[in-house]
Amino acid sequence: MKKQNNFQKRIEYQGDLKPVFEDVCQQYNLGNFISFNIIKSGYEDFNIRLKTSKGHSFVKVFAKFRKK
């Protein structure tokens, strides 16, 4: 869990990620959320391999310093 929190600091979010990724799955019609893994390569953003009932997807959550 500590490793996950270090990655979450990049996006200024320390809450439970499951509801966030469940919403991503619903909004983008990716299937039902099953699990996720942090992709540790890369040093600025928060990259996730999302496992759903329809397969795997790559999700990038931009770091807090990025401009809209």
Side-chain angles (χ1 to χ4, degrees):
M1 185 69 129
K2 185 177 179 183
K3 187 72 118 175
Q4 180 175 319
N5 288 339
N6 286 338
F7 283 93
Q8 284 181 249
K9 285 180 184 177
R10 297 177 182 184
I11 60 172
E12 287 190 337
Y13 181 79
Q14 294 299 311
D16 183 11
L17 289 169
K18 183 179 177 185
V20 174
F21 294 133
E22 287 174 334
D23 190 46
V24 168
C25 289
Q26 182 181 21
Q27 294 295 320
Y28 292 95
N29 195 28
L30 298 175
N32 296 321
F33 172 85
I34 296 174
S35 64
F36 73 92
N37 296 91
I38 297 169
I39 299 172
K40 296 176 183 172
S41 59
Y43 58 91
E44 292 178 336
D45 297 317
F46 187 48
N47 300 319
I48 300 296
R49 182 176 189 225
L50 190 62
K51 183 177 180 183
T52 73
S53 59
K54 290 186 177 181
H56 292 92
S57 297
F58 174 84
V59 176
K60 176 180 281 289
V61 182
F62 292 109
K64 62 186 175 189
F65 67 85
R66 297 210 186 267
K67 298 187 189 300
K68 292 184 180 184

